[in-house]
Amino acid sequence: MIYLLVLLGNSWVCFRVLKDYGYEGPWMPLQSIMSFDFPPPFGHRVLFVLLADAFQAVFPSFGYLKCFFLFQLLAIVLAFEAIRRWGALFVGAELSILAQFLLAVILIPTLHYYDFYDFGVVFFFTACLHCLFMNRFIPYLCLLTLGTFNHEITLLLVPVFVAIHFPESLRRPRIWGQTALQLAAWGGVRALLFWLLPSDVSPLVRIQTNLQMLAHPTPGLLLRYVAPAIWMGIALFGYRRAPPRLKRTLLLLPLLVVTTFVYGQFNEVRQFDPLIPVIVALILCCFQADLPDRAFREAPPPAV
């Protein structure tokens, strides 16, 4: 009952912050996205859009904004439950609710305008990492495939998968076969989306914008990174006690920096949401001086 109440409490606080302080930006018109009239990349992040459309088809009296909030609440609950299970790998089930509190305080400052995919990104990255650490490749592959319908950034999980199995397991042909399966699944989803929702719009490269932003940082830009810098600093205290596999997942940080530099905007801290489960796990490692010898630490993956 305590776990359930903590899950619902954290989820509701996060949802209320989104609803009360978030806003619908003209660059992210929810109604146009739900009508599939908006170009990629936003128009191809369709997972929760499809769920909202399906619900509205059954209950047409619900407006598009109510449908949006309903399935964002679902994504929030999924993210908080996934982070609890992920945290239990590092501090045990008894303290796993700490992961939910950490997720809330790290995630809430990043909430600004409405979109369909941010909470889904946190859920899928957390759930995929949990499956990888538990050596459950088939559920991981299914989650990666489904998560690609939510956001194409799931591609970054593939190099993380390789890093987690570095270096011993990389000599096994099966690991490279599994890597190829992930790339095929991701590429298949992206090809399907461009076939069903064709577009002539090429990816928007923002290198010049980001260079100007970094060359002339404003106080507002610097203030946005104060909280993430503090949490990252705390996470570094847990780095020494972290299992080797968790340390290797920090590969996500340079990957996110590169993708944000090329395609994103550094003034949006939410670009680094996929790193949140890694930060949470590293912070949790601070609470236990000697982690138990769990199977996920260095055990080779079982045959699929």
PDB file of all heavy atoms in Angstrom, residues 265-287:
ATOM      1  N   GLN A 265      18.421  21.845 -28.924  1.00  0.00           N
ATOM      2  CA  GLN A 265      18.752  23.189 -28.467  1.00  0.00           C
ATOM      3  C   GLN A 265      19.195  23.092 -27.016  1.00  0.00           C
ATOM      4  O   GLN A 265      18.496  22.517 -26.182  1.00  0.00           O
ATOM      5  CB  GLN A 265      17.550  24.133 -28.583  1.00  0.00           C
ATOM      6  CG  GLN A 265      17.082  24.365 -30.009  1.00  0.00           C
ATOM      7  CD  GLN A 265      15.956  25.374 -30.062  1.00  0.00           C
ATOM      8  OE1 GLN A 265      16.130  26.517 -30.429  1.00  0.00           O
ATOM      9  NE2 GLN A 265      14.759  24.953 -29.689  1.00  0.00           N
ATOM     10  N   PHE A 266      20.348  23.675 -26.702  1.00  0.00           N
ATOM     11  CA  PHE A 266      20.896  23.556 -25.364  1.00  0.00           C
ATOM     12  C   PHE A 266      20.088  24.322 -24.322  1.00  0.00           C
ATOM     13  O   PHE A 266      20.264  24.108 -23.123  1.00  0.00           O
ATOM     14  CB  PHE A 266      22.352  24.029 -25.346  1.00  0.00           C
ATOM     15  CG  PHE A 266      23.320  22.981 -25.829  1.00  0.00           C
ATOM     16  CD1 PHE A 266      24.017  23.160 -27.009  1.00  0.00           C
ATOM     17  CD2 PHE A 266      23.522  21.815 -25.113  1.00  0.00           C
ATOM     18  CE1 PHE A 266      24.907  22.201 -27.466  1.00  0.00           C
ATOM     19  CE2 PHE A 266      24.406  20.842 -25.559  1.00  0.00           C
ATOM     20  CZ  PHE A 266      25.105  21.036 -26.739  1.00  0.00           C
ATOM     21  N   ASN A 267      19.201  25.204 -24.761  1.00  0.00           N
ATOM     22  CA  ASN A 267      18.379  25.909 -23.781  1.00  0.00           C
ATOM     23  C   ASN A 267      17.204  25.058 -23.297  1.00  0.00           C
ATOM     24  O   ASN A 267      16.422  25.502 -22.460  1.00  0.00           O
ATOM     25  CB  ASN A 267      17.857  27.230 -24.363  1.00  0.00           C
ATOM     26  CG  ASN A 267      16.966  27.020 -25.574  1.00  0.00           C
ATOM     27  OD1 ASN A 267      17.059  25.993 -26.244  1.00  0.00           O
ATOM     28  ND2 ASN A 267      16.109  27.980 -25.848  1.00  0.00           N
ATOM     29  N   GLU A 268      17.073  23.840 -23.803  1.00  0.00           N
ATOM     30  CA  GLU A 268      16.033  22.915 -23.360  1.00  0.00           C
ATOM     31  C   GLU A 268      16.689  21.766 -22.604  1.00  0.00           C
ATOM     32  O   GLU A 268      17.224  20.826 -23.195  1.00  0.00           O
ATOM     33  CB  GLU A 268      15.229  22.386 -24.543  1.00  0.00           C
ATOM     34  CG  GLU A 268      14.419  23.454 -25.256  1.00  0.00           C
ATOM     35  CD  GLU A 268      13.485  22.867 -26.296  1.00  0.00           C
ATOM     36  OE1 GLU A 268      13.382  21.626 -26.366  1.00  0.00           O
ATOM     37  OE2 GLU A 268      12.877  23.641 -27.040  1.00  0.00           O
ATOM     38  N   VAL A 269      16.631  21.825 -21.280  1.00  0.00           N
ATOM     39  CA  VAL A 269      17.263  20.801 -20.447  1.00  0.00           C
ATOM     40  C   VAL A 269      16.584  19.446 -20.645  1.00  0.00           C
ATOM     41  O   VAL A 269      17.205  18.402 -20.439  1.00  0.00           O
ATOM     42  CB  VAL A 269      17.209  21.238 -18.963  1.00  0.00           C
ATOM     43  CG1 VAL A 269      17.908  20.217 -18.074  1.00  0.00           C
ATOM     44  CG2 VAL A 269      17.863  22.598 -18.798  1.00  0.00           C
ATOM     45  N   ARG A 270      15.336  19.460 -21.067  1.00  0.00           N
ATOM     46  CA  ARG A 270      14.602  18.213 -21.277  1.00  0.00           C
ATOM     47  C   ARG A 270      15.251  17.322 -22.331  1.00  0.00           C
ATOM     48  O   ARG A 270      14.920  16.142 -22.422  1.00  0.00           O
ATOM     49  CB  ARG A 270      13.158  18.518 -21.694  1.00  0.00           C
ATOM     50  CG  ARG A 270      13.021  19.649 -22.691  1.00  0.00           C
ATOM     51  CD  ARG A 270      11.611  19.787 -23.221  1.00  0.00           C
ATOM     52  NE  ARG A 270      11.270  18.665 -24.047  1.00  0.00           N
ATOM     53  CZ  ARG A 270      11.645  18.539 -25.322  1.00  0.00           C
ATOM     54  NH1 ARG A 270      12.409  19.452 -25.896  1.00  0.00           N
ATOM     55  NH2 ARG A 270      11.288  17.491 -26.028  1.00  0.00           N
ATOM     56  N   GLN A 271      16.176  17.873 -23.114  1.00  0.00           N
ATOM     57  CA  GLN A 271      16.893  17.048 -24.097  1.00  0.00           C
ATOM     58  C   GLN A 271      17.687  15.940 -23.408  1.00  0.00           C
ATOM     59  O   GLN A 271      18.026  14.933 -24.032  1.00  0.00           O
ATOM     60  CB  GLN A 271      17.863  17.923 -24.907  1.00  0.00           C
ATOM     61  CG  GLN A 271      17.223  19.085 -25.631  1.00  0.00           C
ATOM     62  CD  GLN A 271      16.664  18.689 -26.991  1.00  0.00           C
ATOM     63  OE1 GLN A 271      16.781  17.552 -27.425  1.00  0.00           O
ATOM     64  NE2 GLN A 271      16.072  19.639 -27.673  1.00  0.00           N
ATOM     65  N   PHE A 272      17.976  16.118 -22.121  1.00  0.00           N
ATOM     66  CA  PHE A 272      18.792  15.151 -21.391  1.00  0.00           C
ATOM     67  C   PHE A 272      17.941  14.234 -20.506  1.00  0.00           C
ATOM     68  O   PHE A 272      18.482  13.543 -19.633  1.00  0.00           O
ATOM     69  CB  PHE A 272      19.834  15.889 -20.546  1.00  0.00           C
ATOM     70  CG  PHE A 272      20.853  16.628 -21.384  1.00  0.00           C
ATOM     71  CD1 PHE A 272      20.623  17.949 -21.766  1.00  0.00           C
ATOM     72  CD2 PHE A 272      21.995  16.001 -21.825  1.00  0.00           C
ATOM     73  CE1 PHE A 272      21.537  18.627 -22.554  1.00  0.00           C
ATOM     74  CE2 PHE A 272      22.920  16.668 -22.615  1.00  0.00           C
ATOM     75  CZ  PHE A 272      22.692  17.988 -22.983  1.00  0.00           C
ATOM     76  N   ASP A 273      16.638  14.196 -20.723  1.00  0.00           N
ATOM     77  CA  ASP A 273      15.759  13.302 -19.958  1.00  0.00           C
ATOM     78  C   ASP A 273      16.174  11.836 -20.031  1.00  0.00           C
ATOM     79  O   ASP A 273      16.026  11.109 -19.038  1.00  0.00           O
ATOM     80  CB  ASP A 273      14.310  13.451 -20.426  1.00  0.00           C
ATOM     81  CG  ASP A 273      13.648  14.702 -19.869  1.00  0.00           C
ATOM     82  OD1 ASP A 273      14.278  15.388 -19.046  1.00  0.00           O
ATOM     83  OD2 ASP A 273      12.501  15.005 -20.266  1.00  0.00           O
ATOM     84  N   PRO A 274      16.682  11.311 -21.162  1.00  0.00           N
ATOM     85  CA  PRO A 274      17.090   9.904 -21.181  1.00  0.00           C
ATOM     86  C   PRO A 274      18.174   9.562 -20.172  1.00  0.00           C
ATOM     87  O   PRO A 274      18.335   8.383 -19.801  1.00  0.00           O
ATOM     88  CB  PRO A 274      17.602   9.709 -22.617  1.00  0.00           C
ATOM     89  CG  PRO A 274      16.887  10.741 -23.417  1.00  0.00           C
ATOM     90  CD  PRO A 274      16.756  11.924 -22.509  1.00  0.00           C
ATOM     91  N   LEU A 275      18.922  10.560 -19.702  1.00  0.00           N
ATOM     92  CA  LEU A 275      19.995  10.311 -18.741  1.00  0.00           C
ATOM     93  C   LEU A 275      19.471  10.210 -17.307  1.00  0.00           C
ATOM     94  O   LEU A 275      20.200   9.755 -16.413  1.00  0.00           O
ATOM     95  CB  LEU A 275      21.039  11.428 -18.836  1.00  0.00           C
ATOM     96  CG  LEU A 275      22.361  11.234 -18.090  1.00  0.00           C
ATOM     97  CD1 LEU A 275      23.142  10.063 -18.667  1.00  0.00           C
ATOM     98  CD2 LEU A 275      23.192  12.504 -18.131  1.00  0.00           C
ATOM     99  N   ILE A 276      18.232  10.600 -17.060  1.00  0.00           N
ATOM    100  CA  ILE A 276      17.707  10.637 -15.697  1.00  0.00           C
ATOM    101  C   ILE A 276      17.806   9.288 -14.988  1.00  0.00           C
ATOM    102  O   ILE A 276      18.249   9.242 -13.824  1.00  0.00           O
ATOM    103  CB  ILE A 276      16.261  11.177 -15.684  1.00  0.00           C
ATOM    104  CG1 ILE A 276      16.265  12.673 -16.030  1.00  0.00           C
ATOM    105  CG2 ILE A 276      15.605  10.959 -14.318  1.00  0.00           C
ATOM    106  CD1 ILE A 276      14.878  13.298 -16.088  1.00  0.00           C
ATOM    107  N   PRO A 277      17.421   8.153 -15.602  1.00  0.00           N
ATOM    108  CA  PRO A 277      17.560   6.885 -14.862  1.00  0.00           C
ATOM    109  C   PRO A 277      18.996   6.567 -14.469  1.00  0.00           C
ATOM    110  O   PRO A 277      19.233   5.968 -13.413  1.00  0.00           O
ATOM    111  CB  PRO A 277      16.990   5.839 -15.830  1.00  0.00           C
ATOM    112  CG  PRO A 277      16.941   6.494 -17.166  1.00  0.00           C
ATOM    113  CD  PRO A 277      16.758   7.950 -16.891  1.00  0.00           C
ATOM    114  N   VAL A 278      19.966   6.973 -15.260  1.00  0.00           N
ATOM    115  CA  VAL A 278      21.365   6.742 -14.915  1.00  0.00           C
ATOM    116  C   VAL A 278      21.755   7.596 -13.712  1.00  0.00           C
ATOM    117  O   VAL A 278      22.411   7.122 -12.773  1.00  0.00           O
ATOM    118  CB  VAL A 278      22.284   7.046 -16.118  1.00  0.00           C
ATOM    119  CG1 VAL A 278      23.746   6.863 -15.739  1.00  0.00           C
ATOM    120  CG2 VAL A 278      21.922   6.150 -17.301  1.00  0.00           C
ATOM    121  N   ILE A 279      21.342   8.879 -13.716  1.00  0.00           N
ATOM    122  CA  ILE A 279      21.637   9.759 -12.585  1.00  0.00           C
ATOM    123  C   ILE A 279      20.985   9.233 -11.308  1.00  0.00           C
ATOM    124  O   ILE A 279      21.603   9.200 -10.240  1.00  0.00           O
ATOM    125  CB  ILE A 279      21.161  11.191 -12.891  1.00  0.00           C
ATOM    126  CG1 ILE A 279      21.971  11.783 -14.047  1.00  0.00           C
ATOM    127  CG2 ILE A 279      21.268  12.076 -11.657  1.00  0.00           C
ATOM    128  CD1 ILE A 279      21.498  13.151 -14.499  1.00  0.00           C
ATOM    129  N   VAL A 280      19.731   8.807 -11.412  1.00  0.00           N
ATOM    130  CA  VAL A 280      19.026   8.272 -10.241  1.00  0.00           C
ATOM    131  C   VAL A 280      19.752   7.051  -9.693  1.00  0.00           C
ATOM    132  O   VAL A 280      19.963   6.921  -8.475  1.00  0.00           O
ATOM    133  CB  VAL A 280      17.569   7.916 -10.612  1.00  0.00           C
ATOM    134  CG1 VAL A 280      16.912   7.086  -9.510  1.00  0.00           C
ATOM    135  CG2 VAL A 280      16.760   9.185 -10.861  1.00  0.00           C
ATOM    136  N   ALA A 281      20.171   6.141 -10.557  1.00  0.00           N
ATOM    137  CA  ALA A 281      20.857   4.929 -10.102  1.00  0.00           C
ATOM    138  C   ALA A 281      22.184   5.256  -9.427  1.00  0.00           C
ATOM    139  O   ALA A 281      22.534   4.671  -8.392  1.00  0.00           O
ATOM    140  CB  ALA A 281      21.078   3.987 -11.290  1.00  0.00           C
ATOM    141  N   LEU A 282      22.932   6.201  -9.991  1.00  0.00           N
ATOM    142  CA  LEU A 282      24.214   6.583  -9.385  1.00  0.00           C
ATOM    143  C   LEU A 282      24.010   7.222  -8.015  1.00  0.00           C
ATOM    144  O   LEU A 282      24.773   6.970  -7.079  1.00  0.00           O
ATOM    145  CB  LEU A 282      24.966   7.537 -10.306  1.00  0.00           C
ATOM    146  CG  LEU A 282      25.566   6.921 -11.577  1.00  0.00           C
ATOM    147  CD1 LEU A 282      26.092   8.010 -12.500  1.00  0.00           C
ATOM    148  CD2 LEU A 282      26.675   5.928 -11.232  1.00  0.00           C
ATOM    149  N   ILE A 283      22.975   8.044  -7.876  1.00  0.00           N
ATOM    150  CA  ILE A 283      22.686   8.649  -6.573  1.00  0.00           C
ATOM    151  C   ILE A 283      22.309   7.573  -5.565  1.00  0.00           C
ATOM    152  O   ILE A 283      22.740   7.602  -4.406  1.00  0.00           O
ATOM    153  CB  ILE A 283      21.577   9.707  -6.698  1.00  0.00           C
ATOM    154  CG1 ILE A 283      22.065  10.900  -7.525  1.00  0.00           C
ATOM    155  CG2 ILE A 283      21.115  10.179  -5.317  1.00  0.00           C
ATOM    156  CD1 ILE A 283      20.993  11.933  -7.812  1.00  0.00           C
ATOM    157  N   LEU A 284      21.524   6.598  -5.992  1.00  0.00           N
ATOM    158  CA  LEU A 284      21.128   5.514  -5.092  1.00  0.00           C
ATOM    159  C   LEU A 284      22.327   4.701  -4.627  1.00  0.00           C
ATOM    160  O   LEU A 284      22.329   4.164  -3.518  1.00  0.00           O
ATOM    161  CB  LEU A 284      20.105   4.604  -5.777  1.00  0.00           C
ATOM    162  CG  LEU A 284      18.727   5.211  -6.032  1.00  0.00           C
ATOM    163  CD1 LEU A 284      17.837   4.229  -6.777  1.00  0.00           C
ATOM    164  CD2 LEU A 284      18.063   5.651  -4.739  1.00  0.00           C
ATOM    165  N   CYS A 285      23.354   4.619  -5.471  1.00  0.00           N
ATOM    166  CA  CYS A 285      24.555   3.882  -5.077  1.00  0.00           C
ATOM    167  C   CYS A 285      25.248   4.539  -3.888  1.00  0.00           C
ATOM    168  O   CYS A 285      26.032   3.893  -3.191  1.00  0.00           O
ATOM    169  CB  CYS A 285      25.524   3.785  -6.252  1.00  0.00           C
ATOM    170  SG  CYS A 285      24.996   2.662  -7.566  1.00  0.00           S
ATOM    171  N   CYS A 286      24.972   5.823  -3.640  1.00  0.00           N
ATOM    172  CA  CYS A 286      25.555   6.500  -2.474  1.00  0.00           C
ATOM    173  C   CYS A 286      25.000   5.959  -1.167  1.00  0.00           C
ATOM    174  O   CYS A 286      25.625   6.110  -0.114  1.00  0.00           O
ATOM    175  CB  CYS A 286      25.272   8.002  -2.531  1.00  0.00           C
ATOM    176  SG  CYS A 286      25.991   8.872  -3.937  1.00  0.00           S
ATOM    177  N   PHE A 287      23.798   5.349  -1.211  1.00  0.00           N
ATOM    178  CA  PHE A 287      23.125   4.922   0.008  1.00  0.00           C
ATOM    179  C   PHE A 287      23.564   3.547   0.483  1.00  0.00           C
ATOM    180  O   PHE A 287      23.109   3.086   1.512  1.00  0.00           O
ATOM    181  CB  PHE A 287      21.600   4.911  -0.204  1.00  0.00           C
ATOM    182  CG  PHE A 287      21.027   6.283  -0.356  1.00  0.00           C
ATOM    183  CD1 PHE A 287      20.877   6.859  -1.610  1.00  0.00           C
ATOM    184  CD2 PHE A 287      20.650   7.017   0.747  1.00  0.00           C
ATOM    185  CE1 PHE A 287      20.347   8.128  -1.762  1.00  0.00           C
ATOM    186  CE2 PHE A 287      20.119   8.284   0.611  1.00  0.00           C
ATOM    187  CZ  PHE A 287      19.971   8.850  -0.641  1.00  0.00           C
TER     188      PHE A 287
END
